[in-house]
């Protein structure tokens, strides 16, 4: 199935990334509100459900950061 990901709004894209993390890692993924850079972060600590496999799952912390940069990327206060 093909999907036109470029048609997603920035908020939809960032939400999609967090949802994919929840599928791969588990319900313990915590998504956060947009940060100062406009991106959305998430974290997970525990044993993953599906990543990299069910036979040998990841155990430990994972951080995720997503940001739609079509409109340009700028971080306030960083040069």
């Amino acid at each position: 199935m093909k999907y036109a990901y470029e048609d997603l709004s920035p908020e939809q894209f960032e939400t999609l990334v967090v949802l994919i993390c929840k599928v791969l890692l588990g319900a313990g993924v915590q998504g956060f509100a947009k940060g100062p850079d406009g991106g959305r972060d998430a974290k997970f600590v525990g044993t993953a459900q599906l990543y990299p496999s069910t036979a040998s799952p990841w155990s430990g912390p994972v951080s995720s950061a997503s940001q739609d940069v079509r409109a340009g990327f700028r971080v306030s206060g960083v040069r």
Side-chain angles (χ1 to χ4, degrees), residues 3 6 13 15-17 21 35-36 38-39 42 49-50 57-58 65-67 71:
Y3 190 85
E6 65 273 8
F13 172 78
T15 299
L16 175 64
V17 171
C21 288
Q49 290 183 164
L50 300 174
W58 171 266
S66 61
Q67 182 174 31

Side-chain angles (χ1 to χ4, degrees), residues 29-47:
V29 171
Q30 295 177 298
F32 300 104
K34 286 184 177 271
D37 65 354
R40 186 157 180 219
D41 299 339
K43 77 172 186 175
F44 173 82
V45 178
T47 301

Side-chain angles (χ1 to χ4, degrees), residues 1-77:
M1 176 174 144
K2 292 186 178 185
Y3 190 85
Y5 295 103
E6 65 273 8
D7 291 341
L8 293 173
S9 72
E11 292 79 17
Q12 290 171 321
F13 172 78
E14 293 158 2
T15 299
L16 175 64
V17 171
V18 172
L19 291 173
I20 291 170
C21 288
K22 286 185 178 187
V23 169
L24 294 174
L25 301 172
V29 171
Q30 295 177 298
F32 300 104
K34 286 184 177 271
D37 65 354
R40 186 157 180 219
D41 299 339
K43 77 172 186 175
F44 173 82
V45 178
T47 301
Q49 290 183 164
L50 300 174
Y51 179 80
S53 70
T54 55
S56 181
W58 171 266
S59 185
V62 177
S63 296
S64 168
S66 61
Q67 182 174 31
D68 185 317
V69 295
R70 289 178 286 190
F73 179 73
R74 185 173 62 95
V75 178
S76 300

